[in-house]
Amino acid sequence: MQSLSIKVSTDLNTRTSKEWLRGRGSSGLAELEASTRKRWLNCRYFARNCRIVACASQRNSGGSGGADQSSSSSPSSFLSQSQTYALLKQQMEVAAKSEDYKEAARIRDSLRLFEEEEPALRLRRLMKEAVADERFEDAAKYRDELKEIAPHSLLTCSSDATTFGIRVQVRSVYIEGRSQPLKGLFFFAYRIRITNNSDRPVQLLRRHWIITDGNGKVENFWGIGVIGEQPVILPRTGFEYSSACPLSTPNGRMEGDFEMKHIDRVGSETFNVAIAPFSLSILEDELMLYEK
């Protein structure tokens, strides 16, 4: 198989992907690079500082209690509530930037009410509390309820998998500034770290992504290398890069694999390295605020 560009990396190198940004110009790439670099320090930093949006419930003021509960329990309603919350979050940012602090405070209070009443957030907290108290039967009940209304919320926004000594760690984050909820555009960035814990050098040849949106629509993507490179990763070293994925829904998931080969022997067969499933969600990182 023909290599494109090969880069030997003796440590973890950080790059920002252009594959989702073609046609946006250098300013768009610079903007994404600047925003994502600040978000990759650690998971707690994401939860505190990145303004990652939580999903929220949009109550039907004209309906009865039973009808209201039924409406908020359907997956389609969950997506609608998430979009409403994302819009309010952006409105609060606009109000704050324009120094309309009274309006910003009003929207902030509305968002807090959303967070308290949103079924997915409530069930997630109840499930964590039940596990902490060793009430596992209750935890299972909450998990099943959560799976019905927000299946993606059970998947974390990070994953970690090792195949033949090649470790792949992924972390995703919602980029609010590049999203347009009113137009059904939700922009997510993700960072991947590939560590070669084996004793043989490997080269990443191809990538395969399976992307599922909140409506269950599945798309497959194949490509040569990553960010325009087919990196060589020596034993006990790693390669790290950032990329992005736009979705038409506020929640989704990604998984896939990298095709690699050992380069220390001529004629080595290629093998696939798993990228474990991880969530793309405006809800997921906000839930980290409830982690102990």
Side-chain angles (χ1 to χ4, degrees), residues 9-289:
S9 51
T10 55
D11 55 6
L12 291 176
N13 297 289
T14 301
R15 290 166 175 81
T16 302
S17 174
K18 300 179 182 178
E19 60 191 53
W20 287 98
L21 298 173
R22 292 192 180 100
R24 296 178 183 270
S26 59
S27 61
L29 179 60
E31 179 184 348
L32 177 61
E33 183 175 1
S35 63
T36 54
R37 281 181 176 175
K38 295 178 181 179
R39 289 165 165 79
W40 303 127
L41 295 179
N42 54 53
C43 295
R44 293 186 182 276
Y45 180 89
F46 294 153
R48 292 197 303 268
N49 298 323
C50 289
R51 301 183 181 278
I52 301 169
V53 179
C55 292
S57 62
Q58 184 181 20
R59 301 296 182 185
N60 183 351
S61 58
S64 63
D68 183 60
Q69 182 176 359
S70 173
S71 174
S72 64
S73 297
S74 67
S76 60
S77 177
F78 175 76
L79 292 177
S80 176
Q81 293 157 10
S82 300
Q83 290 175 311
T84 299
Y85 192 91
L87 282 170
L88 285 174
K89 190 77 171 181
Q90 284 193 334
Q91 290 172 1
M92 184 179 69
E93 293 295 320
V94 171
K97 288 179 179 179
S98 62
E99 299 185 358
D100 188 351
Y101 299 124
K102 183 177 181 179
E103 177 66 9
R106 185 190 68 79
I107 299 175
R108 177 205 60 201
D109 294 340
S110 297
L111 289 173
R112 288 178 177 174
L113 181 61
F114 267 64
E115 292 169 358
E116 292 173 1
E117 296 183 349
E118 178 13 62
L121 285 173
R122 180 179 61 83
L123 287 170
R124 183 65 177 263
R125 291 197 296 270
L126 290 173
M127 184 173 66
K128 286 181 176 293
E129 292 170 0
V131 170
D133 297 337
E134 298 184 356
R135 294 182 288 108
F136 300 119
E137 293 83 3
D138 290 339
K141 181 185 68 173
Y142 298 140
R143 180 202 59 203
D144 292 342
E145 292 180 23
L146 189 60
K147 187 175 181 180
E148 287 294 321
I149 66 170
H152 289 298
S153 69
L154 293 173
L155 188 65
T156 64
C157 57
S158 62
S159 71
D160 190 337
T162 299
T163 309
F164 300 126
I166 309 301
R167 184 181 184 185
V168 178
Q169 298 167 278
V170 189
R171 176 76 187 170
S172 69
V173 63
Y174 175 55
I175 307 297
E176 184 179 350
R178 297 190 65 85
S179 299
Q180 301 180 58
L182 197 59
K183 297 181 179 180
L185 174 62
F186 300 87
F187 197 84
F188 299 91
Y190 57 89
R191 189 174 182 84
I192 295 185
R193 174 182 293 180
I194 306 169
T195 306
N196 183 359
N197 292 322
S198 74
D199 297 325
R200 302 176 63 185
V202 298
Q203 183 179 12
L204 193 160
L205 301 174
R206 293 178 177 81
R207 70 188 183 279
H208 170 218
W209 284 111
I210 304 171
I211 303 175
T212 307
D213 69 13
N215 294 320
K217 180 183 176 182
V218 179
E219 293 185 276
N220 285 269
F221 295 92
W222 290 268
I224 302 296
V226 292
I227 59 169
E229 299 186 42
Q230 290 181 308
V232 167
I233 309 174
L234 300 177
R236 312 303 170 187
T237 69
F239 181 84
E240 188 169 352
Y241 74 97
S242 300
S243 187
C245 176
L247 281 184
S248 60
T249 60
N251 303 283
R253 61 181 282 164
M254 290 180 67
E255 59 191 298
D257 58 80
F258 293 125
E259 182 182 349
M260 298 188 179
K261 72 173 181 179
H262 294 111
I263 60 171
D264 56 345
R265 297 177 187 171
V266 177
S268 295
E269 294 185 357
T270 63
F271 60 96
N272 292 331
V273 174
I275 308 169
F278 60 95
S279 173
L280 302 174
S281 176
I282 66 173
L283 168 65
E284 189 60 51
D285 279 297
E286 193 73 17
L287 290 173
M288 293 175 60
L289 295 172

